[in-house]
Structure formats: structure tokens, C-alpha cells
Amino acid sequence: MNESTNDPVRLARRLLTQTLGAEGDALVLERETRQSLLTSLRASRDAAPAAPSHHGVAAVGRPVAVAVAPTATGVTIEDADIAGAGDLSALAELVSRCSRCELHSTRKQAVFGEGAANARVVCVGEAPGAREDETGRPFVGRAGQLLDRLLRTIGLARESVYICNVLKSRPPNNRDPLPGEVAACSPYLLRQLALIQPEVIIAFGAFASRALLETTSALGRMRGQLHEYAGYPVVVTYHPAALLRNPGWTRPTWEDLQLVRRLLDGDDPNG
Ligand code: URA
């Protein structure tokens, strides 16, 4: 984000801070008045490209202007910092102090992801829930236990794969992630994938699948075929939490995972 003093978002933030400081009616922004600030904000909103929204889901990796706020230590994490993280530990350190979206102010801790750095399979969910927010680990609640069992049906131990989410911070009350939050977080997922170089990604649930594949399609329409994201093959399937509510989806999920198994075995995925 442009840090110049003409940046209307930055100026607006300063205005709010000053108002909060109850310094009376005076506005102490160099060269700016309330009216000029409002005019700049309106102009910047009108000039902004329409936010990509697929029923509230922003596509991961799609370039979207993100207002990047400084971390608590005052350091802004830019896309270039993320792209320059040399390994998963360095990237996790950035995530732990990230404030690129407002979720940093409500989360207990960021949930970066975990697993084998050379995993053949990366599992991608939506966002941390309450248990994940408490523990700092992905998929540790009931849905996580089911995920582990599902992976075992294709001979994969949890420790052998890599597990993460589109969002690294929990949305309050588990609400749907907002497009701006996905846009702010997506460089982390892209970097995770670039560092791990998996043979296949499994997108669990409609949200993760839509975000990765830039579509509004129903999950049922996306299943059963191979997709691609950032050059990696993607298999989509039901989210374990949805399976807990709809046990009838267990069989189709197992079938989707067979597709993953065939890919890993070098067999014809359509066979
Ligand atoms: N649901 C998700 O999508 N991710 C988690 O980490 C836990 C539950």
C-alpha cells in the first residue's frame, strides 16, 4: 500500500485516531480539511475496480488492492515480504504478527498451518475455528479428527501431509470470510505452496474450493474432476464439518479421495 501522506485510507485512519484522542474539533492533518478528505475518499472509492466477489468469496491469488495496516510493532507486512520468505518458518513468523486485515484484532492467535515441509499433499480448508484459534493449529476440532480419518483411508498419515486454510485468522463467530480478508491472506497460501511444491492440493469445502478455483459453482458440480490452481492439480471435496452434519456425503468424499490416491500412484486419475 502506498504509504504517502496523500493516501486517503491512511489519512482517514489518522483522522479517526485523532478523533479518538478527543483533541477537540481541530483537524491536524497537513494540507487536509474534513471536506478534502471526504472528497479524496469518494474519488478513491469510485476509481477502485469492483471487488471480485463470488457470492462473498474472493479468489485466492487474484490481485486485489488491500489496505495493509502496520503490525502491533508498527511494521507493515507487504506482498514482497511474503514472497521473499525463504522457508516455512520465516513465513510463519510473518503470519504470527500479521495485521493485513482486521481479523488480527479479534483472533487469539494466527493459525499458519502444519505438516511436512515436503508434503506430496496439501489440504486447504476455509479458516480456523474456535479450537484452532485457541491452539494455533489447523483442523484440531471434531472436523480435524474426521479429516485425519479420511486421509487414512487413502494411506496418508496426518503428519505426512500439510494442512492449512485459506485464512490464517479466525473470523469472529465463524462468519464467512470477507473478500478483502481472502485477498489479504492469499499471498501466504501461495507462498506456502511455492515452498512445499505439492503434487496435489485437496480443497475441503465449498468456500476453499471456490476461492482457489475462482468460481461460484456448487461443490457438487466441481467434484469428480481435476482442477488446477497456481499450476498445482486440485481435487475438491466436502468439508469434514459438513460431513459430520451430512453423513450421506461420506461415500462421495471417499470417491474424491480415491482420485487423490490415483494421482499419487501415477495412475490415470479418470481410471
Ligand atoms: N475448519 C476449517 O476450515 N479449518 C480448520 O482449521 C478447522 C475447521
Side-chain angles (χ1 to χ4, degrees):
M1 190 75 191
N2 177 9
E3 290 289 342
S4 103
T5 51
N6 291 327
D7 175 357
V9 176
R10 193 173 152 80
L11 287 168
R13 257 198 240 121
R14 291 182 61 192
L15 169 62
L16 283 173
T17 308
Q18 286 175 2
T19 312
L20 279 174
E23 290 188 13
D25 207 22
L27 195 55
V28 199
L29 291 172
E30 313 83 35
R31 297 181 285 111
E32 294 292 333
T33 64
R34 282 188 205 285
Q35 191 52 59
S36 71
L37 187 55
L38 276 173
T39 307
S40 320
L41 279 169
R42 279 198 199 102
S44 82
R45 188 197 55 202
D46 292 343
S53 172
H54 304 297
H55 296 296
V57 180
V60 171
R62 188 182 274 208
V64 176
V66 175
V68 179
T71 62
T73 55
V75 181
T76 300
I77 297 172
E78 305 284 357
D79 287 357
D81 301 320
I82 298 170
D87 57 27
L88 290 170
S89 309
L91 191 59
E93 195 277 322
L94 292 180
V95 167
S96 71
R97 58 186 172 84
C98 180
S99 57
R100 287 165 57 92
C101 77
E102 278 311 308
L103 294 181
H104 77 277
S105 60
T106 49
R107 73 182 177 214
K108 288 192 174 130
Q109 58 190 309
V111 180
F112 176 66
E114 66 181 26
N118 60 351
R120 301 178 71 193
V121 176
V122 170
C123 301
V124 181
E126 176 174 331
R131 285 282 296 140
E132 290 76 20
D133 189 47
E134 272 158 24
T135 59
R137 298 181 54 211
F139 279 100
V140 287
R142 280 182 70 217
Q145 287 160 18
L146 180 53
L147 173 68
D148 295 355
R149 289 210 298 279
L150 290 169
L151 290 171
R152 279 203 295 273
T153 68
I154 51 167
L156 296 174
R158 179 180 172 108
E159 305 69 47
S160 72
V161 304
Y162 195 88
I163 302 176
C164 61
N165 287 297
V166 172
L167 289 195
K168 311 306 187 205
S169 302
R170 182 192 182 203
N173 303 315
N174 298 341
R175 67 155 167 72
D176 283 350
L178 301 174
E181 293 161 356
V182 176
C185 227
S186 68
Y188 290 120
L189 179 59
L190 280 168
R191 189 68 191 142
Q192 280 173 310
L193 294 170
L195 290 166
I196 297 168
Q197 298 274 317
E199 289 170 46
V200 56
I201 297 168
I202 312 176
F204 282 96
F207 183 87
S209 304
R210 288 177 183 153
L212 292 183
L213 304 179
E214 302 191 32
T215 177
T216 58
S217 292
L219 186 66
R221 294 180 67 90
M222 289 186 261
R223 290 187 44 249
Q225 48 182 311
L226 216 46
H227 303 270
E228 194 186 290
Y229 170 65
Y232 304 96
V234 178
V235 171
V236 312
T237 195
Y238 293 107
H239 194 288
L243 276 188
L244 289 169
R245 293 189 298 270
N246 304 282
W249 292 347
T250 305
R251 171 85 202 182
T253 304
W254 181 82
E255 284 165 5
D256 295 335
L257 294 179
Q258 294 309 307
L259 182 52
V260 175
R261 187 68 259 172
R262 284 198 292 278
L263 270 177
L264 294 176
D265 292 343
D267 294 340
D268 179 0
N270 304 311

